[in-house]
Amino acid sequence: INEPEFFNKSTEQQKKIREEALERFAGAVQNATGTEAAAIHLQMANLYRDLNKKPEQLKALEQAVKAEPNDAELRLEYARSLRDAAQPKVALAQLQEASKALDNAPAPAMMFGGGGDPNAGMRQQIAAEFTQLKQPKLAEAERAKIKAPEPGAGGGFPGGIQM
């Protein structure tokens, strides 16, 4: 599906290929758990999205989140899809859980610098979704969690390594 030739095929051929991939993923996910199950469900959600099957997409994303409940990126993707499906209350709950996941399992420091918060980008995306859901106070609170770089942090090698 990710090959350039795929996009040269007719719409019907693309649809058939996606549906066949969904069948294979459905079989594979039966024996998968944890991260592997979440990854398969996410791929299925993307295929359902491409086939314009929104309810199935939401169900696949829900299953991905169940398989990896502490994955903030999965929860963010699920929240976006819920917002698009006019389910703002459920989307809001997913965003709040995504934020908690980042609070409880902060990202490790970036190896080659930049300083600052490795989760800053994810927090900005969560804040933007809060804004989309007309929750400016939650957006502001999320942005406030972004840690500024320490003085003198400007990249380079970790742990004082010099060239």
Side-chain angles (χ1 to χ4, degrees):
I1 290 177
N2 291 329
E3 300 297 320
E5 304 87 50
F6 174 78
F7 297 101
N8 293 328
K9 297 188 182 293
S10 72
T11 303
E12 277 306 309
Q13 289 172 319
Q14 290 181 19
K15 179 180 177 185
K16 184 179 182 198
I17 292 168
R18 285 184 174 107
E19 288 171 345
E20 290 170 354
L22 279 166
E23 287 177 24
R24 288 192 299 274
F25 281 134
V29 79
Q30 298 299 320
N31 299 317
T33 59
T35 302
E36 182 181 24
I40 294 169
H41 283 295
L42 180 60
Q43 289 300 318
M44 292 174 76
N46 291 336
L47 289 167
Y48 284 128
R49 180 200 61 220
D50 294 345
L51 291 167
N52 203 28
K53 294 183 176 185
K54 300 301 181 189
E56 292 89 344
Q57 176 194 10
L58 287 174
K59 185 68 175 167
L61 285 168
E62 179 182 22
Q63 293 301 316
V65 167
K66 283 183 181 177
E68 279 293 328
N70 296 318
D71 189 314
E73 285 186 65
L74 282 177
R75 286 192 178 273
L76 176 61
E77 186 64 29
Y78 186 32
R80 286 177 173 148
S81 295
L82 288 162
R83 177 182 44 82
D84 291 344
Q87 297 183 41
K89 289 182 182 177
V90 186
L92 181 61
Q94 288 301 317
L95 290 173
Q96 290 170 317
E97 289 299 318
S99 179
K100 285 181 193 172
L102 291 178
D103 293 345
N104 295 332
M110 292 183 279
M111 184 159 198
F112 287 103
D117 185 353
N119 286 327
M122 180 66 59
R123 290 207 184 273
Q124 286 286 11
Q125 291 180 57
I126 292 170
E129 287 299 317
F130 280 137
T131 299
Q132 286 281 326
L133 293 171
K134 298 178 179 23
Q135 299 291 327
K137 289 182 181 177
L138 291 175
E140 184 179 324
E142 193 65 30
R143 285 187 188 97
K145 293 179 183 181
I146 298 171
K147 297 176 185 84
E150 293 180 20
F157 294 100
I161 297 172
Q162 297 181 355
M163 292 291 286

